[in-house]
Amino acid sequence: MILIITGASHTGKTVLAQRMLEKYKYPYLSIDHLKMGLIRSGHTELTPEDDDELVDYLWPIVREMIKTAIENRQNLIVEGCYIPYDWRKDFGEEYLPEIRFICLAMTDAYIDAHFEDIRDHGSDIEKRLDDSDCTVRWLKEGNQKAIEGFRQAGEQVILIDGDYEEIIAKLLR
C-alpha cells in the first residue's frame, strides 16, 4: 500500500506521516527531504520558494519511486506538498488500487481561530529554520489553492475545520 499525504503548508502532513509510520511501521519519504537534498547538493538551481517548478521537477522522481514500491509489493508513505493536482493520470489501473490519497487543507475559519497554534506547531516534527512567511493571509491563500486545485481534479480534500486531533485520529483508523 502506498499512502500519499499532501496538502497546504502547516496542515499537519508530516505529523500524520509520522503517526502512520509509528502505527503501521511503513517507511516514509518526505518530499521536502528529497527537495533539500537536490538543492543543497547542487543538482538543481531551484530554491525552496520555487513551489510550482518544484512540483514539475520532483514529481517524475517521486512518481517512479511509487511505481517501483508497488511493483515490489512494498508499503510506503509519501508526504509533501509537491504532488500535482492531476497525479492520477500518471498511474495505470495496475497501480491505482494500491494508492491511498490524503489531502489536508484548513478552512479560513479554522485558520482565523487557530493561527497562533498553527504557527506554534509548525516545527513539531521537522524544525523550520525560518517560518516568517507564515501569516494568516499566506496560509489562507495556500489552503484555498490546494482545495480548489485538488477538487477540480476530482480529489477529495479533508477539511480541517474543527478538532484537529479528531481528524487525524479518524485518518489513522
Side-chain angles (χ1 to χ4, degrees):
M1 173 63 62
I2 306 298
L3 301 166
I4 297 176
I5 303 170
T6 194
S9 183
H10 288 73
T11 55
K13 298 178 299 293
T14 308
V15 168
L16 179 58
Q18 181 69 34
R19 290 187 187 172
M20 286 185 163
L21 173 143
E22 292 165 1
K23 179 174 182 171
Y24 299 112
K25 309 298 185 224
Y26 290 2
Y28 97 80
L29 167 69
S30 166
I31 303 174
D32 277 343
H33 291 175
L34 177 62
K35 168 190 76 176
M36 292 310 297
L38 291 164
I39 290 171
R40 287 179 169 179
S41 67
H43 280 86
T44 181
E45 293 183 14
L46 294 172
T47 70
E49 289 77 35
D50 296 326
D51 286 340
D52 292 334
E53 295 89 348
L54 283 163
V55 171
D56 294 337
Y57 182 70
L58 295 169
W59 178 244
I61 299 165
V62 172
R63 173 192 70 216
E64 297 309 315
M65 291 174 76
I66 291 170
K67 287 179 181 177
T68 301
I70 292 170
E71 290 161 358
N72 288 299
R73 294 185 171 93
Q74 295 171 309
N75 299 314
L76 180 64
I77 300 165
V78 177
E79 173 269 320
C81 58
Y82 303 104
I83 305 293
Y85 303 130
D86 62 349
W87 67 273
R88 286 184 190 271
K89 73 173 176 40
D90 293 325
F91 296 97
E93 290 304 315
E94 69 273 28
Y95 296 104
L96 288 171
E98 300 301 319
I99 301 172
R100 179 176 174 211
F101 177 79
I102 299 169
C103 178
L104 301 175
M106 297 178 283
T107 64
D108 285 354
Y110 184 86
I111 293 168
D112 286 334
H114 300 278
F115 175 70
E116 296 298 324
D117 290 333
I118 294 165
R119 194 181 59 214
D120 291 347
H121 287 284
S123 291
D124 280 359
I125 304 293
E126 297 176 342
K127 303 301 176 226
R128 296 175 188 267
L129 298 178
D130 179 12
D131 210 14
S132 60
D133 60 347
C134 183
T135 64
V136 170
R137 180 176 167 218
W138 180 78
L139 285 173
K140 286 181 178 182
E141 288 172 359
N143 279 272
Q144 282 305 314
K145 183 178 177 183
I147 292 167
E148 291 169 13
F150 282 111
R151 281 189 174 165
Q152 285 178 2
E155 298 295 344
Q156 179 183 357
V157 177
I158 297 164
L159 290 178
I160 300 167
D161 193 30
D163 186 330
Y164 175 81
E165 287 299 328
E166 183 178 313
I167 292 167
I168 296 302
K170 274 187 189 178
L171 290 169
L172 287 170
R173 282 187 225 128

